[in-house]
């Protein structure tokens, strides 16, 4: 009789060998990632970039700053170019990341010096601004790819830990931004140091990450490696998150450009709402077992925040409701950026990381900023629309659309989750019964042929498809010791290969069944 369980034994063994125990990376690495990513998130802050690349003094119209199409257009082109593997390989190297970060900070610093000592109408200032914007965009893409690679490697040790660490880094970024940007007498200096301040911790993490993956947290004494499901987020849900991120960026851009002329408006409220939403995501991550549930509940929280913000700014007649709505949308945008980055880096399975990160985060971010902060406001002003009613109507339409689509998406995912839960429970019960019968049969064989406890343990690993080298790693034994135990148990049982052991166990399993 052919046992279907044994026919897929090799595939199951491969999954088991690649399954990871519940370890976590070191505290030093956690702090380095949190600090480095805290500066990395500053690349997404339009207010920081506006203080650095403001070109209004060299011919821009008052309402629309002309650095916006220059920088975001360059970022979009560089991100599209980075989709090619040859470009990615060059950008991800340690030397390239260091070089572009130094160039970005140096050119930005030179721009700040020229703003002080050179006439604002100078062509030199315009050229340096253009070069600094391009260097900043290249640094953004290079740091995104490098940080994503580091986070994906660390996710092999603890996927939820990476999501948690990135949420902490976003909270740290609020403190850094408030302390070094909002309260600084010279706020232009802060964005100039961002590329270098993010690259330095990155270099440390890259140098130590090989040791983290190799050693992890090694427990004392023998251990057994248990099968575990791969922690992955539904790809369709990640795409929905990206669409909501684009909506949040565009609406925020419209209000920043056409309605709210000060970047300080609602600062405290925005930070408070951001902290609340990030704390919610961290609580979800801490309490949820599977990444699918983390992704779904996180999307539910953020989509609710975005819809409420859109409705408030579209229906409000008072400045208070307008500021609350804008603060909610800004917080949702910040959390969407962190959540999308986290899910792509830590829970997208075998998807090509660089290409996925560019397509789902950098390119949508650059394109939506280009539209929200430049193209749409320019078109509205050129067409002569009344600003506030038009933007309010757009916000209301988007809010209703997001609410309706979220309802259908939630219903679909809920129904799909019910079916998937039933299938998983049925499959787990079948697999669990088979595993129990296999272990019972191995116990009978050990008792019948007089195997020692160590030989019984080795026999189970051999039966499940583990190599001698892997068994030695799991049991903290030398390779020669494992090979010696294997030869002894083969001799006692009277078999000559792993397949003989599998056949012997399966025959007994059929009898037990």
């Amino acid at each position: 009789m052919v046992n279907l369980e044994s026919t897929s034994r090799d595939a199951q063994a491969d999954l088991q060998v690649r399954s990871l125990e519940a370890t976590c990376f070191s505290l030093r690495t956690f702090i380095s990632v949190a600090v480095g990513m805290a500066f990395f998130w500053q690349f997404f802050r339009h207010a920081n970039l506006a203080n650095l690349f403001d070109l209004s003094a060299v011919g821009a119209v008052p309402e629309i700053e002309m650095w916006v199409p220059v920088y975001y257009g360059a970022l979009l082109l560089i991100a599209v170019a980075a989709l090619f593997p040859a470009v990615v390989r060059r950008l991800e190297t340690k030397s390239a990341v260091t070089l572009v970060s130094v160039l970005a900070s140096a050119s930005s610093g030179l721009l700040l010096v020229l703003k002080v000592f050179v006439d604002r109408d100078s062509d030199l200032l315009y050229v340096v601004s253009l070069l600094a914007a391009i260097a900043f965009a290249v640094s953004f893409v290079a740091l995104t790819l490098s940080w994503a690679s580091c986070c994906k490697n660390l996710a092999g040790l603890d996927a939820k830990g990476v999501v948690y660490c990135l949420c902490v880094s976003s909270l740290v970024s609020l403190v850094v931004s408030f302390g070094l940007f909002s309260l600084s007498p010279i706020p232009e200096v802060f964005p100039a140091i961002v590329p270098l301040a993010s690259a330095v911790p990155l270099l440390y993490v890259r140098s130590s990450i090989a040791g983290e993956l190799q050693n992890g947290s090694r427990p004392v004494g023998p251990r057994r490696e248990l099968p575990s499901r791969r922690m992955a987020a539904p790809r369709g849900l990640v795409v929905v998150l990206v669409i909501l991120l684009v909506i949040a960026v565009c609406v925020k851009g419209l209000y920043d450009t056409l309605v709210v002329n000060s970047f300080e408006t609602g600062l405290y409220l925005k930070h408070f709402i951001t902290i609340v939403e990030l704390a919610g995501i961290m609580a979800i991550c801490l309490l949820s077992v599977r990444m699918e549930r983390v992704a779904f509940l996180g999307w539910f929280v953020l989509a609710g925040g975005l819809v409420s913000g859109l409705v408030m700014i579209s229906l409000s007649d008072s400045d208070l409701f307008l500021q609350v709505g804008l603060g909610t949308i800004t917080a949702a945008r910040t959390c969407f950026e962190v959540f999308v980055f986290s899910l792509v880096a830590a829970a997208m399975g075998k998807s090509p990381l660089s290409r996925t990160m560019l397509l789902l985060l950098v390119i949508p971010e650059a394109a939506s900023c280009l539209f929200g902060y430049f193209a749409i406001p320019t078109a509205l002003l050129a067409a002569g629309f009344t600003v506030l009613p038009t933007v309010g109507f757009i916000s209301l339409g988007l809010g209703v659309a997001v609410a309706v689509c979220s309802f259908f998406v939630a219903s679909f995912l809920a129904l799909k989750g019910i079916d998937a839960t039933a299938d998983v429970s049925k499959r787990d019960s079948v697999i669990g019964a088979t595993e129990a019968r296999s272990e019972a049969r191995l116990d009978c064989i050990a008792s019948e042929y007089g195997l020692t406890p160590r030989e019984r343990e080795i026999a189970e690993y051999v039966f499940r498809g583990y190599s001698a080298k892997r068994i030695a790693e799991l049991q903290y034994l030398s390779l020669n010791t494992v090979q010696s135990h294997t030869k002894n148990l083969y001799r006692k049982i009277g078999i000559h290969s792993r397949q003989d052991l599998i056949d012997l166990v399966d025959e007994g399993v059929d009898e037990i069944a």
Side-chain angles (χ1 to χ4, degrees):
M1 179 178 177
V2 178
N3 192 330
L4 294 178
E5 183 72 11
S6 65
T7 59
S8 60
R9 187 78 63 199
D10 292 338
Q12 290 183 14
D14 180 65
L15 283 175
Q16 290 173 348
V17 169
R18 290 187 293 107
S19 66
L20 293 166
E21 55 186 341
T23 62
C24 59
F25 40 92
S26 68
L27 178 62
R28 184 177 298 178
T29 302
F30 185 97
I31 294 174
S32 299
V33 173
V35 173
M37 289 298 296
F39 283 97
F40 170 77
W41 297 126
Q42 305 303 324
F43 280 100
F44 295 86
R45 305 296 168 255
H46 184 82
N48 295 341
L49 300 173
N51 277 276
L52 182 62
F53 298 121
D54 182 12
L55 301 181
S56 59
V58 287
V61 293
E63 296 86 353
I64 310 292
E65 298 172 341
M66 293 308 296
W67 69 268
V68 175
V70 173
Y71 172 73
Y72 289 116
L75 177 60
L76 184 60
L77 292 176
I78 294 167
V80 171
L83 292 173
F84 295 95
V87 178
V88 172
R89 285 194 296 269
R90 288 179 173 83
L91 284 177
E92 285 184 329
T93 62
K94 184 182 294 187
S95 58
V97 172
T98 305
L99 178 62
V100 297
S101 299
V102 171
L103 287 177
S105 291
S107 59
S108 301
L110 178 60
L111 175 61
L112 296 180
V113 173
L114 291 177
K115 282 184 176 181
V116 175
F117 296 102
V118 177
D119 187 2
R120 289 296 181 108
D121 294 328
S122 171
D123 291 337
L124 177 62
L125 186 63
Y126 182 83
V127 172
V128 173
S129 299
L130 177 62
L131 295 177
I134 295 174
F136 221 79
V138 176
S139 178
F140 182 14
V141 174
L143 287 169
T144 300
L145 299 179
S146 296
W147 274 119
S149 178
C150 289
C151 290
K152 184 169 186 178
N153 288 331
L154 292 174
L157 295 173
D158 186 4
K160 289 203 301 179
V162 170
V163 179
Y164 201 83
C165 179
L166 292 174
C167 290
V168 171
S169 73
S170 184
L171 294 175
V172 175
S173 75
L174 297 180
V175 178
V176 171
S177 178
F178 184 75
L180 298 181
F181 175 69
S182 302
L183 300 180
S184 173
I186 311 176
E188 295 87 353
V189 176
F190 172 59
I193 67 173
V194 162
L196 204 53
S198 180
V200 171
L202 172 65
L203 296 178
Y204 167 77
V205 174
R206 290 185 63 161
S207 64
S208 63
I209 200 168
E212 293 281 356
L213 290 175
Q214 183 177 359
N215 299 322
S217 300
R218 296 177 67 88
V220 179
R223 61 178 175 174
R224 294 181 61 187
E225 187 176 76
L226 301 175
S228 63
R229 296 188 185 93
R230 190 177 186 87
M231 303 182 74
R235 297 184 182 182
L237 189 56
V238 178
V239 174
V240 172
L241 288 170
V242 173
I243 295 173
L244 297 180
L245 169 62
V246 171
I247 293 174
V249 173
C250 288
V251 172
K252 183 65 168 59
L254 282 173
Y255 274 89
D256 279 349
T257 306
L258 300 180
V259 179
V260 181
N261 295 320
S262 173
F263 291 103
E264 301 296 330
T265 305
L267 179 65
Y268 297 100
L269 182 63
K270 174 187 69 176
H271 286 179
F272 174 76
I273 299 174
T274 303
I275 291 172
V276 171
E277 292 189 358
L278 285 173
I281 294 175
M282 292 168 68
I284 290 169
C285 186
L286 189 63
L287 298 176
S288 299
V289 177
R290 298 173 60 86
M291 284 301 294
E292 292 91 336
R293 183 168 297 178
V294 173
F296 177 77
L297 294 178
W299 161 77
F300 187 78
V301 170
L302 298 181
L306 178 60
V307 171
S308 61
L310 290 172
V311 172
M312 276 191 285
I313 63 176
S314 61
L315 300 180
S316 64
D317 294 327
S318 65
D319 290 339
L320 176 61
F321 274 87
L322 180 62
Q323 296 308 318
V324 172
L326 286 175
T328 305
I329 291 176
T330 304
R333 172 191 173 178
T334 300
C335 296
F336 276 127
E337 291 162 350
V338 175
F339 206 46
V340 170
F341 186 97
S342 303
L343 294 179
V344 172
M348 284 297 285
K350 296 182 178 179
S351 302
L353 178 63
S354 300
R355 188 181 185 87
T356 305
M357 186 63 73
L358 291 170
L359 289 174
L360 294 182
L361 183 60
V362 180
I363 292 177
E365 179 80 19
S368 55
C369 285
L370 194 59
F371 277 94
Y373 285 95
F374 179 72
I376 299 177
T378 302
L380 291 177
L381 290 175
F385 286 104
T386 305
V387 172
L388 194 56
T390 303
V391 177
F393 178 77
I394 293 174
S395 301
L396 179 61
L398 290 173
V400 173
V402 170
V404 173
C405 293
S406 298
F407 172 77
F408 285 110
V409 171
S411 301
F412 171 75
L413 291 176
L415 293 175
K416 185 178 180 181
I418 292 173
D419 296 337
T421 301
D423 293 340
V424 168
S425 300
K426 183 178 179 180
R427 184 176 68 249
D428 287 349
S429 63
V430 173
I431 293 176
T434 304
E435 292 293 330
R437 289 196 294 266
S438 298
E439 291 198 6
R441 175 57 179 160
L442 283 167
D443 289 337
C444 292
I445 292 173
S447 176
E448 181 180 352
Y449 294 99
L451 300 183
T452 66
R454 177 69 75 181
E455 289 169 349
R456 161 64 178 82
E457 215 166 26
I458 299 295
E460 182 172 353
Y461 281 114
V462 172
F463 170 72
R464 299 192 185 285
Y466 288 79
S467 66
K469 181 179 179 182
R470 185 59 176 163
I471 297 172
E473 293 174 354
L474 294 173
Q475 293 295 308
Y476 302 124
L477 300 173
S478 69
L479 183 60
N480 289 335
T481 302
V482 172
Q483 291 173 342
S484 176
H485 283 308
T486 305
K487 289 179 181 178
N488 288 337
L489 71 90
Y490 279 6
R491 176 178 53 78
K492 290 180 180 180
I493 299 175
I495 58 177
H496 304 284
S497 66
R498 173 181 302 168
Q499 188 59 50
D500 292 341
L501 178 62
I502 292 173
D503 293 340
L504 181 62
V505 173
D506 285 341
E507 289 174 4
V509 168
D510 291 338
E511 294 175 2
I512 294 174

